[in-house]
Amino acid sequence: MAVIGYLGKSADDGIQFVVSRETFRTPKNMIWSGSARYATHERHVTHALTEFTGLDPDNFSFDILLTKELGVDPLEDIVKIFTYERDAEAVGLVIGGKAYGKYRWSIKDHKTKMEYLDKAGDMYAVEVSVELLEYLKGEDQNTSAASPAPAPAATPAPAADTGGSTTYTVKKGDNLWTIAKRLYGSGADYTKIYEANKDVIGKNPNLIYPGQTFTIPG
């Protein structure tokens, strides 16, 4: 199974974007938009002046098809989206090993189009439209699992006392998914790094910071 990303607090707890022979669940019609704010100052008998006053939070929207025919339980994923939205959870968005946004996203709105029900009346095929609003904190905190640009490649230095393991020092823009993809070839292996470094990372695998040094299991 190829996990190509997720929407949620982590790949395990969130909605995984998956492509395999048994399961297909990927976003489509993705739109990432942003806007700036300008004040207009009128001047007598001449052109007005515009003044840049700041940036609005970005917006990200996508549709996702959830169908039992493709190995997905539609209701299970809808409940996750509903729960994140109602609990005002700030979630990560990772697609293709890249984290989108400066920090995280809030689920602003979702619409579920129920296309088919099975013979028991349960959801069989649905299409969900999700609208995300960028969740921003202070600039010194916008370095966790949602930087839109992957960190530059780095070669981990061998550690003499880790029994064949290596170490890796976190850089700005890193998240566990992209580190695992770089070092293991698959972002889904981020759990190996997390389990080996729980004492450094803490309870939330999405919160890692530049300068932290992780043990990378062989």
Side-chain angles (χ1 to χ4, degrees):
M1 181 174 69
V3 179
I4 63 170
Y6 67 89
L7 173 70
K9 292 182 289 186
S10 69
D12 290 337
D13 296 333
I15 297 173
Q16 293 183 345
F17 303 139
V18 179
V19 178
S20 72
R21 295 179 64 180
E22 295 80 21
T23 306
F24 184 86
R25 184 201 291 115
T26 61
K28 62 178 182 176
N29 301 327
M30 295 181 289
I31 300 174
W32 188 1
S33 61
S35 60
R37 296 190 304 274
Y38 286 86
T40 301
H41 304 285
E42 295 183 357
R43 296 189 298 168
H44 185 62
V45 198
T46 187
H47 296 293
L49 295 177
T50 57
E51 177 188 5
F52 175 75
T53 60
L55 296 172
D56 293 319
D58 283 359
N59 293 273
F60 198 105
S61 64
F62 64 87
D63 301 327
I64 187 166
L65 180 65
L66 306 172
T67 170
K68 287 186 178 180
E69 186 178 11
L70 299 176
V72 177
D73 183 342
L75 182 58
E76 180 179 323
D77 285 346
I78 291 171
V79 168
K80 287 183 180 180
I81 293 172
F82 182 90
T83 301
Y84 285 143
E85 180 182 289
R86 292 299 184 269
D87 291 346
E89 291 276 4
V91 296
L93 176 65
V94 176
I95 304 173
K98 299 179 180 64
Y100 284 74
K102 297 183 186 70
Y103 185 59
R104 294 200 184 91
W105 302 86
S106 297
I107 298 179
K108 179 182 176 182
D109 181 70
H110 78 278
K111 296 180 177 66
T112 303
K113 180 182 178 183
M114 302 180 202
E115 298 188 348
Y116 300 104
L117 303 178
D118 62 18
K119 61 182 179 181
D122 296 325
M123 294 181 188
Y124 183 82
V126 305
E127 184 171 81
V128 184
S129 299
V130 179
E131 291 189 22
L132 306 177
L133 178 68
E134 190 173 25
Y135 178 88
L136 296 174
K137 300 182 73 174
E139 288 300 322
D140 59 336
Q141 295 172 297
N142 291 340
T143 56
S144 136
S147 173
T155 302
D161 58 348
T162 54
S165 299
T166 59
T167 60
Y168 180 85
T169 300
V170 179
K171 296 173 178 55
K172 185 175 181 179
D174 276 346
N175 60 69
L176 292 185
W177 185 279
T178 54
I179 293 172
K181 187 174 180 64
R182 186 181 307 126
L183 300 179
Y184 292 122
S186 172
D189 286 331
Y190 82 95
T191 54
K192 296 180 183 178
I193 303 173
Y194 177 59
E195 291 298 327
N197 297 276
K198 274 187 176 180
D199 57 332
V200 177
I201 299 171
K203 294 182 179 180
N204 191 340
N206 282 331
L207 293 179
I208 65 173
Y209 302 96
Q212 290 178 316
T213 299
F214 296 157
T215 297
I216 308 299

